Amino acid sequence: MKQRPESLYQRVVNAIVAGVDDGRYAPGMRLPGERELAKEFNVSRPTIRQAMSALEMRGLV
């Protein structure tokens, strides 16, 4: 069975989780704004919003 390719917002979620794990984003620290994150990950702001929703559902933000 073929695995679905990872969606763009999921890549952002994984990158932010990795950033928390490696200390780039400290627990309790505010993440950069939507505009800055979109620029950093080279994605649209709606993609960042979707990633933030996914992180919120996981209880990470």
Side-chain angles (χ1 to χ4, degrees):
M1 188 161 125
K2 282 189 175 182
Q3 215 177 14
R4 279 192 317 180
E6 187 177 50
S7 65
L8 199 52
Y9 87 90
Q10 191 60 48
R11 287 186 209 167
V12 173
V13 167
N14 292 340
I16 291 172
V17 169
V20 171
D21 290 343
D22 69 16
R24 182 173 181 194
Y25 304 117
M29 176 182 148
R30 289 184 69 123
L31 289 172
E34 189 177 274
R35 202 173 295 232
E36 291 83 20
L37 288 171
K39 188 175 181 179
E40 178 180 338
F41 294 112
N42 198 30
V43 297
S44 67
R45 289 172 64 191
T47 299
I48 296 297
R49 286 186 208 115
Q50 193 173 16
M52 289 298 121
S53 292
L55 288 166
E56 188 175 353
M57 287 191 317
R58 290 171 140 185
L60 298 174
V61 293

